[in-house]
Amino acid sequence: MPDAMDPPAKTVEIEQEKNNSSDTMDPPAKTVEIEQEEKKSSSAYTTLIMMDEEHNEHVYMVRKGTPLKKLMDAYCVTQSVELNTFVFLFDGRRLRPEQTPDEAGLEDGDEIDTFQHQLGGCVCAFSM
């Protein structure tokens, strides 16, 4: 799958070739710097997929250093519920609101499962 940042890098290389033919500058180092800056800016964000109980996907793009509470709040706003009504799980581990995507081990394209809190859980019948 091609990266979303590939076309700008190709554009820079094409401009570099035009400039080399006219000998106006020596851009190979500049091209590398521009490509590295683009990679840095694209790596500042992580795309995360929130999957609800009905298998509906909600895609969010967050900064790697942002606490997950902002993501959780945004998801709850779209669902019109309070934050404490959902549990957020990644690979079976519960995510805490104060964690960042880096601290939680989340990478680009990872899926976070969302479940509503279950109250109770056991119906016991006693008969004598």
Side-chain angles (χ1 to χ4, degrees):
M1 174 181 240
D3 188 29
M5 299 310 292
D6 284 344
K10 290 178 182 175
T11 303
V12 171
E13 291 172 10
I14 292 168
E15 291 173 3
Q16 172 192 352
E17 291 174 9
K18 289 178 184 176
N19 289 337
N20 279 342
S21 63
S22 63
D23 294 325
T24 57
M25 61 176 6
D26 192 59
K30 291 186 182 262
T31 303
V32 172
E33 288 174 354
I34 292 170
E35 289 175 0
Q36 287 175 351
E37 287 176 9
E38 289 174 355
K39 288 179 183 177
K40 286 179 188 175
S41 65
S42 68
S43 66
Y45 289 93
T46 303
T47 303
L48 300 173
I49 302 167
M50 306 286 275
M51 182 73 73
D52 64 16
E53 293 171 341
E54 287 84 32
H55 302 287
N56 296 321
E57 291 184 352
H58 304 271
V59 179
Y60 294 91
M61 199 168 180
V62 296
R63 288 187 184 268
K64 291 184 176 184
T66 302
L68 291 173
K69 183 176 185 338
K70 288 189 175 187
L71 173 68
M72 294 172 179
D73 285 338
Y75 178 77
C76 289
V77 166
T78 61
Q79 300 298 313
S80 301
V81 295
E82 293 183 22
L83 178 62
N84 61 359
T85 60
F86 281 105
V87 176
F88 299 90
L89 302 174
F90 172 66
D91 286 343
R93 294 175 300 149
R94 189 171 183 168
L95 297 174
R96 296 184 321 272
E98 66 273 3
Q99 287 179 304
T100 64
D102 280 343
E103 293 171 350
L106 294 166
E107 297 177 356
D108 198 40
D110 280 344
E111 186 177 295
I112 298 173
D113 297 315
T114 62
F115 298 99
Q116 286 188 335
H117 275 286
Q118 181 177 348
L119 299 174
C122 180
V123 176
C124 299
F126 292 101
S127 62
M128 295 188 143

